[in-house]
Amino acid sequence: VDYNDHFETPMVAYEDILPILDALCPLSRRGVGGESEDNKCREKARSKQVLYDPYYCDGKAASFLAQLGFENVRHEKRDFYKDIQNN
């Protein structure tokens, strides 16, 4: 196993891509009812969005994403490449 394959994505990286994740979510309705309404829509959209991270490492990705409001994260300690091979 390559040593460089075992680094966890830090929280700051998820914060950096948060605007992209929000933009990709079909439930997000920005600009409709002011900042407060936008935040409510984003929070609701994040809670319904399904995210998948196949690279488990230490398993922190799911907890980081949950802190940002993503409740439906698939992040399990499995061999992603074996799963793909066995389909």
Side-chain angles (χ1 to χ4, degrees):
V1 175
D2 187 332
Y3 171 77
N4 289 318
D5 284 345
H6 294 283
F7 292 99
E8 196 78 39
T9 302
M11 178 63 140
V12 68
Y14 291 109
E15 292 169 339
D16 286 345
I17 66 167
L18 196 53
I20 297 167
L21 293 174
D22 285 340
L24 291 172
C25 185
L27 297 175
S28 186
R29 300 180 314 147
R30 277 182 251 151
V32 175
E35 187 174 333
S36 176
E37 192 64 31
D38 288 351
N39 288 337
K40 287 179 192 173
C41 287
R42 263 187 239 113
E43 288 172 15
K44 182 177 181 181
R46 288 179 189 169
S47 72
K48 300 206 180 290
Q49 191 170 5
V50 179
L51 299 178
Y52 174 61
D53 183 344
Y55 303 108
Y56 192 78
C57 295
D58 290 332
K60 293 179 186 170
S63 64
F64 286 158
L65 290 164
Q67 289 176 49
L68 296 172
F70 297 96
E71 301 171 9
N72 200 358
V73 178
R74 303 293 188 249
H75 185 63
E76 302 169 2
K77 190 173 185 176
R78 299 176 54 97
D79 185 336
F80 169 72
Y81 297 103
K82 187 175 183 180
D83 288 346
I84 293 297
Q85 184 179 14
N86 294 334
N87 195 7

